[in-house]
Amino acid sequence: MRRATTALAVALAAGCAANVPFHRAPVPAGDAADWGPLREAASRRASLYDGFVHRANASATWLSPEVREAGVRRLAEWQAKNQAELEQALADARAEALLGEEFVVALYTVDPRANDLDVPRSVWHLELDDGTTRVPAATITAFYPNATVKQLYPYVGPFDLTYRVRFKWTGAPLQGRPFKLRIASSLGELVLDYAPEGQRAREWQAP
């Protein structure tokens, strides 16, 4: 009797499970619709070597107004926000965009002590350069790369630290123009080149 009861319980559980939707990935997928292509077009990666010695990697996504809004909409879909919540999130994102040009930066350094973009005396200097105007980073804030961050920015690796970097840009609007995000230190310089494909500088420079 005990075996029969157990078998019945298993069968009932299996029957119930068959009627429950089970999703292994976020819906919509991380790269579905506008977000994936927009993020990729706004993202760059650079590696730093001293000869054959690897020093660091950096990846960055420029949060242009279009990219920023697409990210907000994708997150709202995942979190099943209602229309009022979405509109508030979009309004907050537009207000943030007025504070300056912003990037999400993922940095890996072979020496973990050098991964310190957000400390007051960081070994790194960050600036935005369009060939005419060069502006240093105004604020750099570290944030934890949780599951949401890793879905939005799949290039974030398990050993990366992530930062939001903001510039009080004083030059001409960047949209549609070439520019560079420079991350420089005594270890060398990582140049994330936003020139059109085929016109980009080499990805790394040794000191």
Side-chain angles (χ1 to χ4, degrees), residues 131-202:
T132 302
T133 304
R134 299 176 69 166
V135 174
T139 61
I140 302 176
T141 306
F143 64 95
Y144 180 70
N146 59 21
T148 296
V149 171
K150 291 178 180 179
Q151 286 289 346
L152 287 172
Y153 307 99
Y155 56 72
V156 175
F159 303 108
D160 290 346
L161 296 183
T162 47
Y163 304 88
R164 294 181 76 95
V165 182
R166 180 174 289 148
F167 299 85
K168 293 183 178 179
W169 182 244
T170 58
L174 297 177
Q175 191 71 45
R177 301 173 56 245
F179 61 90
K180 296 176 182 178
L181 173 62
R182 298 182 178 275
I183 307 174
S185 76
S186 61
L187 297 173
E189 183 178 22
L190 291 148
V191 180
L192 294 105
D193 192 347
Y194 281 81
E197 189 72 34
Q199 299 180 24
R200 297 175 193 168
R202 63 179 183 172

Side-chain angles (χ1 to χ4, degrees), residues 2-145:
R2 184 177 179 181
R3 289 184 179 178
T5 303
T6 302
L8 178 60
V10 170
L12 287 172
C16 291
N19 295 321
V20 176
F22 182 71
H23 301 294
R24 292 184 179 273
V27 178
D31 285 349
D34 292 341
W35 171 246
L38 286 173
R39 184 204 60 231
E40 288 303 300
S43 297
R44 298 291 186 272
R45 180 175 175 83
S47 298
L48 175 62
Y49 286 83
D50 181 2
F52 293 103
V53 180
H54 182 212
R55 299 294 190 192
N57 295 325
S59 300
T61 298
W62 174 40
L63 298 182
S64 67
E66 186 179 29
V67 172
R68 192 185 295 267
E69 182 167 322
V72 168
R73 291 186 181 278
R74 175 47 41 85
L75 184 57
E77 289 179 290
W78 285 342
Q79 296 180 337
K81 290 184 177 180
N82 61 38
Q83 188 62 31
E85 291 172 321
L86 171 60
E87 293 300 331
Q88 183 59 59
L90 289 171
D92 292 343
R94 290 162 186 156
E96 284 188 350
L98 297 176
L99 299 177
E101 299 294 350
E102 192 170 7
F103 294 77
V104 170
V105 175
L107 179 66
Y108 165 77
T109 58
V110 174
D111 181 354
R113 296 170 297 180
N115 203 336
D116 66 349
L117 296 186
D118 62 326
V119 304
R121 295 187 178 182
S122 171
V123 300
W124 301 95
H125 173 75
L126 279 74
E127 71 175 25
L128 196 54
D129 175 14
D130 71 349
T132 302
T133 304
R134 299 176 69 166
V135 174
T139 61
I140 302 176
T141 306
F143 64 95
Y144 180 70

